[in-house]
Amino acid sequence: MPLRVSACSPAQNAKPVVNRPTADFSPSIWGERFISYTPADEIARAHKEKQVEDLKEKVRRRLITAAGNPSQQLNYIDAIQRLGVAYHFEREIEEALKHMYDNYYDVEHKDDDLYNVSLQFRLLRQQGFNLSCDVFNKFKDQKGGFQESLINDVRGMLGLYEATHIRERFEQTRGEVVYIYHKHEASHDKALLKLAKLDFNLMQSLHKEELSNLSRWHTELGFTVKISFARDRVVEVYFFVLAMYFEPQYSRARRILTKVLYIISTIDDMYDAYGSLEEHKLFAEMIERWDINSIDQLPEHMKVIYQALLDVYKEIEEEMDKEGKAYSFHHAKEAMKIQIGAYFDEAQWFHEGNVPTIDKYMQVARVSSSLPLTTVIFFIGMDEIITKEAFEWVYNDPFTIASCLIARLMNDMTSHKFEQERGHVASAIECYVKQYSVSKQQAYDEFNKQIANAWKDINQGFLRPTSMPVPILTGVLNLT
């Protein structure tokens, strides 16, 4: 129900008291356990890094020498990818798969039997769906859709091997995959296995160091004490970010994005569960102006959050200025303005008791899902592959629109019951049910169809020519 403002006393000029509901989030379970991490001895680390370089050369040689046997080479590439070390061999893998595609699995010179079709699908899967759409185009029916019976037969031929590897990718940690490769792959490559273990340990040390630094920043920020109404989830946010990219070259991107997402999570809770509409409007207007001089106009809890946001953005601005990328900082600010604007729209609907149409809701909620903001901020921490065009792509390409739709609809279907119990803006479920006078189950069924179609758009986005470099697409895919 709408929040009411009542006077705290009859005294003239007394400040009104705002009835502030809370979501009663559970406290963090981590405490300060990650702050005390001590990095490994520099000499020991240097020794491991030297071992990694030597092993990389051995793996690279085997990958190249296996070119005469495409099946063997494909399986070796599969092992490299499953063990999480493919980022060391991106160029070699790309060249090997392109060579196989051009010389062994050319659809123009193969019969259309299921065996050859299955090889095509397997090759495309190995290359991240980014080689060519020729295979898919060849097996479309006249209506433009895929022949489901053919694809089902191909899935059957790929069999348990494929199913097992897909499950490994989505359900098992990298450490578990290393263990399985060691125990169950009779012909496992000793150099590759040792590389995977050493690389895993080095990456784990790096991630622990990053989390330790972020935990220290979080403690100094003081949100746990000053902002009691919001989720305290800096550790979870870091692992959320880690799921996008774990590689060492994205360390800065993880640091920046974790800080921004932790603060935006707090702002999200503030708009959802704390404060009056007048306060929310004031905060949104200050963000829109990027006003750094009028912070005293804000309520105390908003001052703390706003100052933390400005401090993180100052950190981003200084780093971008050093690299001559002022345009990146501009897009970071614009993304935040758009994000807070979406939060305010939803807050206004809630305070007014408004249930918008599903189309109007999705227009705003795709942004409030934080997918666009997350993508923009992550771009800032990446290297020279990020261009000005990439920032525009975030809000306009079917690939990212599909990503936002998936995130928003799955989020709403999962959380709307809890959110409606505590008082929250109508979700996609309530909007659809009201507009079409259907049951919640019918709304779920419709949204599941939309999600399935959105995944097709994402798969299509990986087929060449791609709208953006594959590392960009991969980050958004992992985020989704």
Side-chain angles (χ1 to χ4, degrees):
M1 60 183 295
L3 302 179
R4 292 188 174 88
V5 179
S6 58
C8 62
S9 74
Q12 194 173 9
N13 298 325
K15 292 184 178 181
V17 173
V18 179
N19 176 27
R20 303 185 189 278
T22 58
D24 195 25
F25 294 116
S26 59
S28 171
I29 65 172
W30 304 110
E32 297 186 350
R33 72 176 62 186
F34 294 108
I35 291 180
S36 59
Y37 170 72
T38 302
D41 177 79
E42 288 296 322
I43 296 176
R45 181 179 179 86
H47 178 66
K48 285 185 179 180
E49 290 174 344
K50 175 64 167 57
Q51 285 183 290
V52 164
E53 290 303 314
D54 293 342
L55 291 165
K56 279 167 56 178
E57 188 56 36
K58 291 182 180 179
V59 171
R60 185 175 289 110
R61 284 200 299 268
R62 176 171 174 183
L63 181 59
I64 294 172
T65 56
N69 187 331
S71 177
Q72 183 184 83
Q73 190 178 43
L74 195 57
N75 284 328
Y76 196 55
I77 289 171
D78 184 69
I80 290 171
Q81 291 176 332
R82 286 191 292 130
L83 291 169
V85 293
Y87 73 95
H88 290 298
F89 309 102
E90 289 178 354
R91 179 178 58 81
E92 291 85 355
I93 290 174
E94 178 77 12
E95 291 176 356
L97 291 173
K98 187 176 187 306
H99 177 76
M100 280 186 274
Y101 181 81
D102 291 340
N103 293 278
Y104 296 99
Y105 303 128
D106 186 350
V107 295
E108 297 300 327
H109 300 93
K110 294 288 183 181
D111 296 329
D112 295 343
D113 61 80
L114 287 180
Y115 174 76
N116 284 305
V117 174
S118 69
L119 288 177
Q120 298 288 349
F121 271 78
R122 176 155 167 70
L123 180 58
L124 285 173
R125 181 184 69 76
Q126 286 292 344
Q127 203 162 2
F129 298 104
N130 73 346
L131 265 175
S132 170
C133 61
D134 292 343
V135 174
F136 288 95
N137 289 335
K138 188 172 182 62
F139 297 107
K140 281 184 178 180
D141 60 23
Q142 291 182 347
K143 296 179 181 178
F146 298 121
Q147 296 179 16
E148 290 299 323
S149 60
L150 174 61
I151 292 178
N152 287 334
D153 287 340
V154 170
R155 288 180 182 139
M157 291 194 67
L158 295 177
L160 181 61
Y161 177 82
E162 288 296 304
T164 301
H165 287 202
I166 290 169
R167 184 174 68 252
E168 285 174 1
R169 284 178 173 84
F170 288 97
E171 294 182 3
Q172 294 171 338
T173 67
R174 185 180 170 193
E176 288 173 324
V177 174
V178 170
Y179 175 81
I180 289 170
Y181 181 72
H182 185 190
K183 290 292 184 181
H184 300 291
E185 297 278 351
S187 60
H188 71 255
D189 181 87
K190 289 182 172 57
L192 176 57
L193 179 62
K194 190 171 182 179
L195 171 62
K197 289 179 178 180
L198 284 171
D199 190 74
F200 177 87
N201 290 332
L202 287 170
M203 289 302 94
Q204 188 181 58
S205 296
L206 173 62
H207 298 155
K208 284 181 178 179
E209 185 175 355
E210 291 173 356
L211 184 53
S212 177
N213 293 333
L214 287 165
S215 296
R216 194 172 296 110
W217 166 81
H218 166 255
T219 299
E220 294 170 356
L221 198 62
F223 273 23
T224 305
V225 176
K226 300 173 186 176
I227 310 296
S228 59
F229 58 82
R231 290 164 289 181
D232 183 19
R233 298 289 184 269
V234 71
V235 175
E236 288 83 351
V237 170
Y238 173 75
F239 280 109
F240 178 87
V241 172
L242 191 62
M244 293 179 68
Y245 280 119
F246 71 88
E247 296 90 342
Q249 64 265 35
Y250 299 117
S251 182
R252 181 178 70 173
R254 289 191 290 272
R255 168 175 54 84
I256 292 173
L257 184 53
T258 299
K259 290 182 178 181
V260 172
L261 285 187
Y262 178 71
I263 294 172
I264 203 65
S265 171
T266 305
I267 295 173
D268 185 19
D269 291 339
M270 179 183 76
Y271 269 86
D272 282 349
Y274 206 75
S276 69
L277 185 61
E278 290 77 15
E279 291 173 344
H280 293 156
K281 182 179 180 182
L282 176 60
F283 190 89
E285 288 175 345
M286 288 187 65
I287 291 287
E288 178 61 32
R289 299 193 304 269
W290 208 256
D291 188 344
I292 62 175
N293 299 314
S294 305
I295 194 169
D296 288 337
Q297 296 179 17
L298 295 170
E300 196 59 36
H301 68 281
M302 286 187 169
K303 288 181 186 177
V304 174
I305 296 170
Y306 195 72
Q307 187 60 58
L309 179 64
L310 292 177
D311 289 344
V312 170
Y313 265 69
K314 183 65 176 176
E315 179 183 338
I316 295 172
E317 183 178 23
E318 289 174 353
E319 292 194 23
M320 293 302 99
D321 281 348
K322 289 178 182 177
E323 298 177 11
K325 295 182 178 179
Y327 67 87
S328 294
F329 181 68
H330 165 75
H331 285 287
K333 288 202 303 185
E334 291 304 307
M336 182 59 68
K337 292 176 184 179
I338 293 171
Q339 181 77 26
I340 302 303
Y343 284 164
F344 178 69
D345 286 341
E346 292 182 343
Q348 194 165 19
W349 291 338
F350 172 64
H351 284 272
E352 294 174 354
N354 185 15
V355 180
T357 65
I358 186 63
D359 288 343
K360 186 174 182 180
Y361 170 80
M362 288 300 297
Q363 184 178 0
V364 171
R366 280 197 294 264
V367 174
S368 69
S369 71
S370 298
L371 266 291
L373 174 68
T374 300
T375 305
V376 167
I377 299 301
F378 196 81
F379 281 1
I380 289 173
M382 295 180 75
D383 55 22
E384 65 277 359
I385 67 171
I386 300 302
T387 62
K388 295 179 181 179
E389 290 74 23
F391 291 104
E392 300 298 330
W393 171 85
V394 170
Y395 290 95
N396 301 309
D397 194 85
F399 188 93
T400 50
I401 292 173
S403 174
C404 292
L405 182 144
I406 291 168
R408 172 48 59 193
L409 291 183
M410 293 190 71
N411 181 293
D412 283 8
M413 286 192 288
T414 301
S415 64
H416 78 100
K417 291 180 181 178
F418 165 73
E419 290 176 340
Q420 295 307 310
E421 286 173 359
R422 68 178 171 87
H424 194 276
V425 65
S427 73
I429 307 298
E430 286 75 38
C431 294
Y432 192 87
V433 166
K434 179 179 179 181
Q435 183 173 345
Y436 294 105
S437 300
V438 297
S439 68
K440 289 181 180 178
Q441 185 57 52
Q442 287 174 298
Y444 294 154
D445 292 343
E446 170 59 27
F447 293 154
N448 281 322
K449 291 178 184 177
Q450 292 186 23
I451 289 169
N453 288 330
W455 276 116
K456 292 178 183 178
D457 290 339
I458 287 178
N459 286 336
Q460 182 69 31
F462 271 98
L463 302 178
R464 284 188 172 172
T466 58
S467 54
M468 283 287 140
V470 170
I472 292 178
L473 300 180
T474 302
V476 178
L477 173 65
N478 291 342
L479 174 61
T480 309

